Amino acid sequence: MSLTKRQKIYINYVKRPIGFLGALVALIIFSPIMLILMAVLYFANKGAGVFFLQARPGKNAVIFKAIKFKTMTDERDSEGNLLPDGERITPVGHFIRSTSLDELPQLINILKGEMAFIGPRPLLISYLPLYTQEQMHRHDVLPGLSGLAQINGRNNIPWEKKFELDLYYIDHIGPLMDMKIFLKTIVKVFMRSDINTSSGKSATMELFTGTNNKKNENMKDIAILGMGGLGREILSLIKEINKVENKWNIIGFFDDGYSPGYECHGLKNHGGINLLNSWDRPLALVIAIGSPNTKKSIYNKIINKNIYYPTLIHPCAVIADPDSVRIGEGSLICANNMITCDIVIGKFVLLNLSCTLGHDTIIKDFCAFMPTCNISGECVIEEGTYCGTGVKIINKITIGRDTIVGAGSVVVRSLPSGCTAVGSPAKPIKFANPSL
C-alpha cells in the first residue's frame, strides 16, 4: 500500500494548509469555551490539572504528545494505585467526553503539524509491536481528530474492523472522502452517539491485544534493550524459560543504534530510550549490556514508571540453597551457573555462562562476569566490577568498586577500586584516577 502522487499533492498542498487555517480559526472561535472548561476542570479534577498529555505514535510512528482536556481525577487507593477509570471520571468529565469537547486542545496538535482534522485516530504506543505489517500502514498519514472508523461505530466495532476502515481511508484519501467524514463527524457529535462514557469499572475502550494473538492471558510483555550479541543470548535465555513456564511474551528489541523496524531473529527493533520513556503499558525490560558503567548510565535514563526489570534465571542454572540466596532486580543468571549458599547478588548483575559462586559471597549492584568465572567463598565484589572470561578469584578476596579484571586473570590478593588488573596473579596495571 502506497500513496499515489495525486494523494501526496492533496495531503501536502491542500489538506495541510486548510487544516492549519481551520485549526487557527477554530481555536479563536472556541477559546472562550476552552477557558471556561479550564476553569471548571481545575476545581472538578481536585487539583489534578486540566490538560492530559498522551504520548502517541503519529505519522511514520514518530512519537508526539497529544493534548486533551483531563476528565479524571488522580485519586488512588490505600496502596497508592490509581482507582478504576469509572471511579475517577467526574460528572464534568463525563459531559465533556460525551460532547467530544475533551478533543478541543488537539487543535494545537494540528497547528503544530502533528495531527490533521481527518485521519486514523492516534492510539497507544504499546500497540506498535502488535500491528500486522498491513495494519502499520495506518501510520502512513497524520493521525486525525476524527476518521472513518469514528463515524462507523467508534468504540462499538472490533479492532480489526477499525483498522480495515483506517486502511480503506488511506487507500481512498482525497477531498471528497475528508469532507464526507468531516460532515458526518459533526452529526455524530451533536447526536452524541458511539461515545463510551460508561460509569462502570472502565471509562476507556477495550485494549487491543493483537490480531490473532496467541498470547496467554498470564504472559507478561518483555523486551530486550540491546541488539548485540548479549541481547541475542538473552533472547535465547527467555525462550528457554518459556519452555518450562510460558511466562513471557517477547515483543522485540529497543536499541538506539539500529533503525526502527530492523529485525533480529524475527523480532523488530521498536526504537530507543525516548520510546521506552513514553511506553504506556507495564513492560518488563532486560538491559542486555555487558559494560557495568554503560548499563548503569542507560538505567538512569529510563524514567518511565511502566518499565520494570525482571530477574531472569536460566532453567539449567543451579542454586544449591534457594532459601539462602538473594538476587536483586534486573539480574541475569545464564545457563550452567552454579550458585551455592548464603549468597547475596545485587541489582543488575550479569552472570554469564558457566560461572560458579562460593558460599557467603556478596556481589554488589551492576557487576558483570563473563563466561566461566570462578568466585570462591566469602568474597566481596563491589559495585561496577567487570570480570572477563575465565577469571578466578580465591576465597576471602575483596575487589573494589569499578574495577576491571582481565580475562584469564587469577586474583589472589584484594584489588583496590578503579583499577584494571591482569595476570596470574592479577596485578593492577592502571587506575581510572591516576592519583591512586
Side-chain angles (χ1 to χ4, degrees), residues 50 61 85 105 120 126 137 140 146 149 176 180 194 270 289 298 348 350 355 358 364 371 383 391 398 421-422 429-430:
V50 297
D85 294 351
S126 53
H137 284 293
D140 288 352
S146 183
L176 292 180
K180 173 184 174 182
D194 299 329
H270 298 297
I289 305 292
I298 289 173
F348 299 98
L350 169 64
C355 294
K364 303 290 183 68
E383 182 175 321
V391 166
T398 296
V422 299
I429 58 171
K430 67 178 180 178

Side-chain angles (χ1 to χ4, degrees), residues 159-178:
W159 279 108
E160 283 71 19
K161 182 63 178 178
K162 291 180 188 179
F163 296 145
E164 285 179 17
L165 292 168
D166 288 341
L167 297 177
Y168 182 89
Y169 168 76
I170 291 171
D171 217 22
H172 297 81
I173 191 170
L176 292 180
M177 173 68 78
D178 281 350

Side-chain angles (χ1 to χ4, degrees), residues 4-259:
T4 66
K5 184 177 180 180
R6 180 177 294 180
Q7 288 175 322
K8 291 178 180 178
I9 291 173
Y10 165 68
I11 291 170
N12 294 326
Y13 300 105
V14 179
K15 182 173 182 174
R16 171 58 188 151
I18 290 176
F20 179 87
L21 292 173
L24 185 61
V25 171
L27 274 173
I28 294 171
I29 293 173
F30 288 109
S31 58
I33 296 175
M34 293 176 69
L35 288 171
I36 293 171
L37 290 175
M38 288 168 63
V40 173
L41 286 171
Y42 178 81
F43 294 101
N45 290 344
K46 302 178 182 179
V50 297
F51 292 112
F52 182 41
L53 301 181
Q54 299 173 306
R56 292 287 185 264
K59 183 178 178 181
N60 299 322
V62 174
I63 308 302
F64 73 102
K65 294 290 181 70
I67 312 169
K68 296 179 73 173
F69 277 129
K70 191 177 180 75
T71 56
M72 298 183 190
T73 68
D74 288 337
E75 292 178 290
R76 299 174 182 268
D77 60 23
S78 57
E79 297 180 356
N81 301 312
L82 286 172
L83 295 174
D85 294 351
E87 294 181 32
R88 293 189 294 120
I89 189 168
T90 64
V92 173
H94 188 283
F95 169 78
I96 290 175
R97 281 194 174 198
S98 68
T99 54
S100 295
L101 290 172
D102 59 324
E103 310 282 358
L104 280 177
Q106 289 180 21
L107 292 169
I108 298 171
N109 292 118
I110 297 176
L111 282 178
K112 295 170 66 178
E114 298 166 333
M115 291 183 64
F117 276 102
I118 306 300
R121 284 294 292 159
L123 300 176
L124 298 178
I125 293 173
S126 53
Y127 291 172
L128 289 174
L130 304 177
Y131 294 139
T132 65
Q133 187 173 358
E134 185 179 16
Q135 289 167 351
M136 273 298 293
H137 284 293
R138 69 188 308 278
H139 293 289
D140 288 352
V141 298
L142 289 174
L145 279 175
S146 183
L148 195 57
Q150 280 60 53
I151 63 169
N152 284 282
R154 197 169 177 172
N155 296 343
N156 298 323
I157 58 175
W159 279 108
E160 283 71 19
K161 182 63 178 178
K162 291 180 188 179
F163 296 145
E164 285 179 17
L165 292 168
D166 288 341
L167 297 177
Y168 182 89
Y169 168 76
I170 291 171
D171 217 22
H172 297 81
I173 191 170
L176 292 180
M177 173 68 78
D178 281 350
M179 183 58 67
K180 173 184 174 182
I181 295 172
F182 182 78
L183 293 175
K184 285 195 173 183
T185 298
I186 294 175
V187 173
K188 289 277 186 181
V189 169
F190 278 104
M191 292 178 63
R192 296 167 67 174
S193 60
D194 299 329
I195 296 171
N196 183 4
T197 57
S198 168
S199 58
K201 288 188 176 181
S202 177
T204 54
M205 72 178 79
E206 182 182 349
L207 291 174
F208 175 59
T209 57
T211 300
N212 300 322
N213 191 1
K214 297 180 181 180
K215 173 184 172 182
N216 186 302
E217 288 184 1
N218 296 322
M219 294 177 72
K220 300 176 181 178
D221 290 342
I222 192 169
I224 301 167
L225 197 160
M227 293 187 76
L230 182 57
R232 298 193 298 274
E233 290 179 351
I234 298 305
L235 174 61
S236 175
L237 166 59
I238 298 170
K239 288 180 178 179
E240 289 300 313
I241 293 172
N242 277 347
K243 289 179 182 178
V244 177
E245 179 186 2
N246 208 22
K247 183 177 181 179
W248 299 109
N249 177 49
I250 309 169
I251 68 166
F253 293 91
F254 289 85
D255 195 319
D256 283 307
Y258 294 85
S259 60

Side-chain angles (χ1 to χ4, degrees), residues 373-422:
C373 286
N374 297 324
I375 305 169
S376 298
E378 301 180 65
C379 291
V380 177
I381 314 297
E382 297 290 350
E383 182 175 321
T385 292
Y386 177 93
C387 290
T389 300
V391 166
K392 291 177 171 46
I393 305 172
I394 70 168
N395 64 307
K396 297 185 179 181
I397 290 294
T398 296
I399 296 181
R401 184 187 179 103
D402 298 323
T403 287
I404 299 172
V405 184
S409 297
V410 179
V411 183
V412 299
R413 294 186 181 87
S414 294
L415 296 173
S417 297
C419 76
T420 297
V422 299

